[in-house]
PDB file of all heavy atoms in Angstrom:
ATOM      1  N   SER G   1      -2.084   1.927 -14.437  1.00 93.00           N
ATOM      2  CA  SER G   1      -3.010   1.120 -13.637  1.00 93.00           C
ATOM      3  C   SER G   1      -3.602   1.941 -12.503  1.00 93.00           C
ATOM      4  O   SER G   1      -2.949   2.845 -11.975  1.00 93.00           O
ATOM      5  CB  SER G   1      -2.290  -0.100 -13.041  1.00 93.00           C
ATOM      6  OG  SER G   1      -1.869  -0.985 -14.046  1.00 93.00           O
ATOM      7  N   LEU G   2      -4.826   1.609 -12.161  1.00 94.00           N
ATOM      8  CA  LEU G   2      -5.496   2.157 -10.989  1.00 94.00           C
ATOM      9  C   LEU G   2      -5.894   0.956 -10.143  1.00 94.00           C
ATOM     10  O   LEU G   2      -6.556   0.046 -10.645  1.00 94.00           O
ATOM     11  CB  LEU G   2      -6.726   2.949 -11.427  1.00 94.00           C
ATOM     12  CG  LEU G   2      -7.302   3.987 -10.468  1.00 94.00           C
ATOM     13  CD1 LEU G   2      -6.351   5.166 -10.345  1.00 94.00           C
ATOM     14  CD2 LEU G   2      -8.657   4.468 -10.987  1.00 94.00           C
ATOM     15  N   VAL G   3      -5.473   0.918  -8.862  1.00 94.00           N
ATOM     16  CA  VAL G   3      -5.693  -0.257  -8.024  1.00 94.00           C
ATOM     17  C   VAL G   3      -6.463   0.131  -6.765  1.00 94.00           C
ATOM     18  O   VAL G   3      -6.035   1.009  -6.010  1.00 94.00           O
ATOM     19  CB  VAL G   3      -4.355  -0.917  -7.632  1.00 94.00           C
ATOM     20  CG1 VAL G   3      -4.608  -2.123  -6.736  1.00 94.00           C
ATOM     21  CG2 VAL G   3      -3.579  -1.334  -8.873  1.00 94.00           C
ATOM     22  N   PHE G   4      -7.601  -0.527  -6.533  1.00 95.00           N
ATOM     23  CA  PHE G   4      -8.411  -0.358  -5.331  1.00 95.00           C
ATOM     24  C   PHE G   4      -8.058  -1.477  -4.359  1.00 95.00           C
ATOM     25  O   PHE G   4      -8.085  -2.657  -4.742  1.00 95.00           O
ATOM     26  CB  PHE G   4      -9.900  -0.450  -5.654  1.00 95.00           C
ATOM     27  CG  PHE G   4     -10.423   0.587  -6.591  1.00 95.00           C
ATOM     28  CD1 PHE G   4     -10.228   0.467  -7.965  1.00 95.00           C
ATOM     29  CD2 PHE G   4     -11.151   1.677  -6.119  1.00 95.00           C
ATOM     30  CE1 PHE G   4     -10.733   1.416  -8.844  1.00 95.00           C
ATOM     31  CE2 PHE G   4     -11.662   2.623  -6.984  1.00 95.00           C
ATOM     32  CZ  PHE G   4     -11.448   2.498  -8.348  1.00 95.00           C
ATOM     33  N   ILE G   5      -7.770  -1.140  -3.118  1.00 95.00           N
ATOM     34  CA  ILE G   5      -7.514  -2.161  -2.106  1.00 95.00           C
ATOM     35  C   ILE G   5      -8.833  -2.406  -1.373  1.00 95.00           C
ATOM     36  O   ILE G   5      -9.267  -1.603  -0.541  1.00 95.00           O
ATOM     37  CB  ILE G   5      -6.401  -1.729  -1.145  1.00 95.00           C
ATOM     38  CG1 ILE G   5      -5.133  -1.463  -1.953  1.00 95.00           C
ATOM     39  CG2 ILE G   5      -6.152  -2.791  -0.077  1.00 95.00           C
ATOM     40  CD1 ILE G   5      -3.989  -0.905  -1.148  1.00 95.00           C
ATOM     41  N   VAL G   6      -9.479  -3.508  -1.724  1.00 94.00           N
ATOM     42  CA  VAL G   6     -10.783  -3.841  -1.166  1.00 94.00           C
ATOM     43  C   VAL G   6     -10.634  -4.368   0.251  1.00 94.00           C
ATOM     44  O   VAL G   6     -11.445  -4.082   1.132  1.00 94.00           O
ATOM     45  CB  VAL G   6     -11.506  -4.859  -2.060  1.00 94.00           C
ATOM     46  CG1 VAL G   6     -12.873  -5.217  -1.480  1.00 94.00           C
ATOM     47  CG2 VAL G   6     -11.657  -4.317  -3.478  1.00 94.00           C
ATOM     48  N   ASP G   7      -9.567  -5.144   0.484  1.00 94.00           N
ATOM     49  CA  ASP G   7      -9.320  -5.703   1.807  1.00 94.00           C
ATOM     50  C   ASP G   7      -7.853  -6.075   1.913  1.00 94.00           C
ATOM     51  O   ASP G   7      -7.173  -6.298   0.907  1.00 94.00           O
ATOM     52  CB  ASP G   7     -10.191  -6.930   2.053  1.00 94.00           C
ATOM     53  CG  ASP G   7     -10.421  -7.194   3.536  1.00 94.00           C
ATOM     54  OD1 ASP G   7      -9.926  -6.395   4.367  1.00 94.00           O
ATOM     55  OD2 ASP G   7     -11.085  -8.192   3.861  1.00 94.00           O
ATOM     56  N   GLY G   8      -7.342  -6.141   3.150  1.00 93.00           N
ATOM     57  CA  GLY G   8      -5.970  -6.556   3.366  1.00 93.00           C
ATOM     58  C   GLY G   8      -5.030  -5.392   3.633  1.00 93.00           C
ATOM     59  O   GLY G   8      -5.447  -4.232   3.711  1.00 93.00           O
ATOM     60  N   GLU G   9      -3.737  -5.710   3.743  1.00 93.00           N
ATOM     61  CA  GLU G   9      -2.704  -4.708   3.989  1.00 93.00           C
ATOM     62  C   GLU G   9      -1.482  -5.023   3.147  1.00 93.00           C
ATOM     63  O   GLU G   9      -1.093  -6.192   2.988  1.00 93.00           O
ATOM     64  CB  GLU G   9      -2.304  -4.693   5.469  1.00 93.00           C
ATOM     65  CG  GLU G   9      -3.391  -4.219   6.406  1.00 93.00           C
ATOM     66  CD  GLU G   9      -2.935  -4.218   7.854  1.00 93.00           C
ATOM     67  OE1 GLU G   9      -1.836  -4.763   8.130  1.00 93.00           O
ATOM     68  OE2 GLU G   9      -3.663  -3.685   8.704  1.00 93.00           O
ATOM     69  N   LEU G  10      -0.875  -3.956   2.599  1.00 91.00           N
ATOM     70  CA  LEU G  10       0.331  -4.091   1.807  1.00 91.00           C
ATOM     71  C   LEU G  10       1.319  -3.011   2.215  1.00 91.00           C
ATOM     72  O   LEU G  10       0.920  -1.883   2.534  1.00 91.00           O
ATOM     73  CB  LEU G  10       0.038  -3.955   0.301  1.00 91.00           C
ATOM     74  CG  LEU G  10      -1.021  -4.862  -0.326  1.00 91.00           C
ATOM     75  CD1 LEU G  10      -2.374  -4.163  -0.304  1.00 91.00           C
ATOM     76  CD2 LEU G  10      -0.651  -5.193  -1.757  1.00 91.00           C
ATOM     77  N   ASP G  11       2.610  -3.345   2.171  1.00 90.00           N
ATOM     78  CA  ASP G  11       3.666  -2.358   2.354  1.00 90.00           C
ATOM     79  C   ASP G  11       4.350  -2.153   1.013  1.00 90.00           C
ATOM     80  O   ASP G  11       4.847  -3.113   0.398  1.00 90.00           O
ATOM     81  CB  ASP G  11       4.695  -2.840   3.395  1.00 90.00           C
ATOM     82  CG  ASP G  11       4.139  -2.789   4.815  1.00 90.00           C
ATOM     83  OD1 ASP G  11       3.207  -1.990   5.043  1.00 90.00           O
ATOM     84  OD2 ASP G  11       4.624  -3.532   5.673  1.00 90.00           O
ATOM     85  N   LEU G  12       4.364  -0.912   0.550  1.00 87.00           N
ATOM     86  CA  LEU G  12       4.893  -0.586  -0.775  1.00 87.00           C
ATOM     87  C   LEU G  12       6.248   0.080  -0.645  1.00 87.00           C
ATOM     88  O   LEU G  12       6.434   0.978   0.175  1.00 87.00           O
ATOM     89  CB  LEU G  12       3.927   0.343  -1.510  1.00 87.00           C
ATOM     90  CG  LEU G  12       2.459  -0.101  -1.565  1.00 87.00           C
ATOM     91  CD1 LEU G  12       1.599   0.978  -2.197  1.00 87.00           C
ATOM     92  CD2 LEU G  12       2.326  -1.392  -2.330  1.00 87.00           C
ATOM     93  N   VAL G  13       7.189  -0.331  -1.494  1.00 81.00           N
ATOM     94  CA  VAL G  13       8.512   0.292  -1.543  1.00 81.00           C
ATOM     95  C   VAL G  13       8.798   0.647  -2.982  1.00 81.00           C
ATOM     96  O   VAL G  13       8.869  -0.236  -3.850  1.00 81.00           O
ATOM     97  CB  VAL G  13       9.616  -0.638  -1.009  1.00 81.00           C
ATOM     98  CG1 VAL G  13      10.972   0.062  -1.078  1.00 81.00           C
ATOM     99  CG2 VAL G  13       9.313  -1.066   0.418  1.00 81.00           C
ATOM    100  N   SER G  14       8.942   1.954  -3.252  1.00 70.00           N
ATOM    101  CA  SER G  14       9.160   2.423  -4.607  1.00 70.00           C
ATOM    102  C   SER G  14      10.556   3.005  -4.748  1.00 70.00           C
ATOM    103  O   SER G  14      11.044   3.734  -3.882  1.00 70.00           O
ATOM    104  CB  SER G  14       8.123   3.495  -4.975  1.00 70.00           C
ATOM    105  OG  SER G  14       8.342   3.992  -6.270  1.00 70.00           O
ATOM    106  N   GLY G  15      11.243   2.685  -5.839  1.00 59.00           N
ATOM    107  CA  GLY G  15      12.557   3.251  -6.112  1.00 59.00           C
ATOM    108  C   GLY G  15      13.586   2.818  -5.092  1.00 59.00           C
ATOM    109  O   GLY G  15      13.587   1.688  -4.608  1.00 59.00           O
ATOM    110  N   SER G  16      14.467   3.749  -4.755  1.00 53.00           N
ATOM    111  CA  SER G  16      15.561   3.424  -3.836  1.00 53.00           C
ATOM    112  C   SER G  16      15.170   3.597  -2.373  1.00 53.00           C
ATOM    113  O   SER G  16      15.969   3.346  -1.477  1.00 53.00           O
ATOM    114  CB  SER G  16      16.770   4.321  -4.146  1.00 53.00           C
ATOM    115  OG  SER G  16      16.419   5.684  -4.004  1.00 53.00           O
ATOM    116  N   SER G  17      13.929   4.022  -2.133  1.00 53.00           N
ATOM    117  CA  SER G  17      13.496   4.239  -0.757  1.00 53.00           C
ATOM    118  C   SER G  17      13.452   2.919   0.012  1.00 53.00           C
ATOM    119  O   SER G  17      13.035   1.889  -0.504  1.00 53.00           O
ATOM    120  CB  SER G  17      12.104   4.878  -0.737  1.00 53.00           C
ATOM    121  OG  SER G  17      11.593   4.913   0.576  1.00 53.00           O
ATOM    122  N   ASP G  18      13.939   2.948   1.261  1.00 58.00           N
ATOM    123  CA  ASP G  18      13.891   1.739   2.081  1.00 58.00           C
ATOM    124  C   ASP G  18      12.798   1.838   3.137  1.00 58.00           C
ATOM    125  O   ASP G  18      12.737   1.031   4.046  1.00 58.00           O
ATOM    126  CB  ASP G  18      15.252   1.496   2.751  1.00 58.00           C
ATOM    127  CG  ASP G  18      15.701   2.664   3.606  1.00 58.00           C
ATOM    128  OD1 ASP G  18      14.955   3.668   3.660  1.00 58.00           O
ATOM    129  OD2 ASP G  18      16.779   2.580   4.208  1.00 58.00           O
ATOM    130  N   ARG G  19      11.959   2.851   3.026  1.00 70.00           N
ATOM    131  CA  ARG G  19      10.861   3.029   3.984  1.00 70.00           C
ATOM    132  C   ARG G  19       9.553   2.676   3.303  1.00 70.00           C
ATOM    133  O   ARG G  19       9.079   3.395   2.415  1.00 70.00           O
ATOM    134  CB  ARG G  19      10.822   4.475   4.493  1.00 70.00           C
ATOM    135  CG  ARG G  19      12.062   4.886   5.259  1.00 70.00           C
ATOM    136  CD  ARG G  19      11.885   6.273   5.850  1.00 70.00           C
ATOM    137  NE  ARG G  19      10.748   6.330   6.757  1.00 70.00           N
ATOM    138  CZ  ARG G  19      10.323   7.453   7.333  1.00 70.00           C
ATOM    139  NH1 ARG G  19      10.923   8.605   7.069  1.00 70.00           N
ATOM    140  NH2 ARG G  19       9.284   7.420   8.162  1.00 70.00           N
ATOM    141  N   PRO G  20       8.942   1.563   3.680  1.00 77.00           N
ATOM    142  CA  PRO G  20       7.692   1.162   3.039  1.00 77.00           C
ATOM    143  C   PRO G  20       6.536   2.087   3.417  1.00 77.00           C
ATOM    144  O   PRO G  20       6.530   2.704   4.482  1.00 77.00           O
ATOM    145  CB  PRO G  20       7.467  -0.255   3.559  1.00 77.00           C
ATOM    146  CG  PRO G  20       8.181  -0.293   4.873  1.00 77.00           C
ATOM    147  CD  PRO G  20       9.373   0.599   4.715  1.00 77.00           C
ATOM    148  N   VAL G  21       5.572   2.165   2.511  1.00 84.00           N
ATOM    149  CA  VAL G  21       4.357   2.939   2.745  1.00 84.00           C
ATOM    150  C   VAL G  21       3.208   1.952   2.887  1.00 84.00           C
ATOM    151  O   VAL G  21       3.021   1.070   2.044  1.00 84.00           O
ATOM    152  CB  VAL G  21       4.097   3.912   1.575  1.00 84.00           C
ATOM    153  CG1 VAL G  21       2.776   4.643   1.796  1.00 84.00           C
ATOM    154  CG2 VAL G  21       5.247   4.897   1.430  1.00 84.00           C
ATOM    155  N   ARG G  22       2.458   2.069   3.959  1.00 86.00           N
ATOM    156  CA  ARG G  22       1.355   1.143   4.216  1.00 86.00           C
ATOM    157  C   ARG G  22       0.148   1.488   3.333  1.00 86.00           C
ATOM    158  O   ARG G  22      -0.274   2.641   3.228  1.00 86.00           O
ATOM    159  CB  ARG G  22       0.958   1.209   5.696  1.00 86.00           C
ATOM    160  CG  ARG G  22      -0.262   0.396   6.093  1.00 86.00           C
ATOM    161  CD  ARG G  22      -0.138  -1.093   5.774  1.00 86.00           C
ATOM    162  NE  ARG G  22       1.054  -1.702   6.342  1.00 86.00           N
ATOM    163  CZ  ARG G  22       1.102  -2.267   7.542  1.00 86.00           C
ATOM    164  NH1 ARG G  22       0.018  -2.280   8.308  1.00 86.00           N
ATOM    165  NH2 ARG G  22       2.206  -2.826   7.979  1.00 86.00           N
ATOM    166  N   ALA G  23      -0.376   0.482   2.684  1.00 89.00           N
ATOM    167  CA  ALA G  23      -1.602   0.608   1.910  1.00 89.00           C
ATOM    168  C   ALA G  23      -2.588  -0.398   2.468  1.00 89.00           C
ATOM    169  O   ALA G  23      -2.254  -1.571   2.658  1.00 89.00           O
ATOM    170  CB  ALA G  23      -1.324   0.324   0.439  1.00 89.00           C
ATOM    171  N   GLU G  24      -3.806   0.048   2.735  1.00 90.00           N
ATOM    172  CA  GLU G  24      -4.766  -0.839   3.382  1.00 90.00           C
ATOM    173  C   GLU G  24      -6.165  -0.624   2.822  1.00 90.00           C
ATOM    174  O   GLU G  24      -6.360   0.166   1.884  1.00 90.00           O
ATOM    175  CB  GLU G  24      -4.746  -0.611   4.892  1.00 90.00           C
ATOM    176  CG  GLU G  24      -4.932   0.828   5.311  1.00 90.00           C
ATOM    177  CD  GLU G  24      -4.592   1.052   6.777  1.00 90.00           C
ATOM    178  OE1 GLU G  24      -4.134   0.115   7.445  1.00 90.00           O
ATOM    179  OE2 GLU G  24      -4.801   2.181   7.251  1.00 90.00           O
ATOM    180  N   ARG G  25      -7.103  -1.342   3.416  1.00 91.00           N
ATOM    181  CA  ARG G  25      -8.485  -1.329   2.930  1.00 91.00           C
ATOM    182  C   ARG G  25      -8.998   0.088   2.722  1.00 91.00           C
ATOM    183  O   ARG G  25      -8.873   0.946   3.601  1.00 91.00           O
ATOM    184  CB  ARG G  25      -9.372  -2.058   3.936  1.00 91.00           C
ATOM    185  CG  ARG G  25     -10.832  -2.134   3.545  1.00 91.00           C
ATOM    186  CD  ARG G  25     -11.605  -2.945   4.545  1.00 91.00           C
ATOM    187  NE  ARG G  25     -13.003  -3.080   4.160  1.00 91.00           N
ATOM    188  CZ  ARG G  25     -13.882  -3.830   4.803  1.00 91.00           C
ATOM    189  NH1 ARG G  25     -13.509  -4.524   5.869  1.00 91.00           N
ATOM    190  NH2 ARG G  25     -15.137  -3.900   4.386  1.00 91.00           N
ATOM    191  N   GLY G  26      -9.579   0.327   1.549  1.00 91.00           N
ATOM    192  CA  GLY G  26     -10.142   1.628   1.230  1.00 91.00           C
ATOM    193  C   GLY G  26      -9.195   2.533   0.474  1.00 91.00           C
ATOM    194  O   GLY G  26      -9.623   3.552  -0.080  1.00 91.00           O
ATOM    195  N   ASP G  27      -7.903   2.175   0.403  1.00 92.00           N
ATOM    196  CA  ASP G  27      -6.939   3.001  -0.305  1.00 92.00           C
ATOM    197  C   ASP G  27      -7.011   2.741  -1.806  1.00 92.00           C
ATOM    198  O   ASP G  27      -7.482   1.694  -2.263  1.00 92.00           O
ATOM    199  CB  ASP G  27      -5.512   2.728   0.183  1.00 92.00           C
ATOM    200  CG  ASP G  27      -5.254   3.297   1.573  1.00 92.00           C
ATOM    201  OD1 ASP G  27      -6.080   4.098   2.036  1.00 92.00           O
ATOM    202  OD2 ASP G  27      -4.238   2.921   2.185  1.00 92.00           O
TER     203      ASP G  27
END
């Protein structure tokens, strides 16, 4: 999948990591 963030904010957590990565408009 390829995902465009048109608007809004998301915190992503992948695998065992407990530190979210911020994804926001334009990402």
Side-chain angles (χ1 to χ4, degrees):
S1 294
L2 201 70
V3 179
F4 298 79
I5 301 175
V6 180
D7 204 2
E9 293 180 350
L10 306 92
D11 287 336
L12 309 174
V13 180
S14 178
S16 59
S17 171
D18 57 359
R19 297 186 59 185
V21 176
R22 175 58 54 91
E24 53 193 5
R25 181 176 182 174
D27 287 347

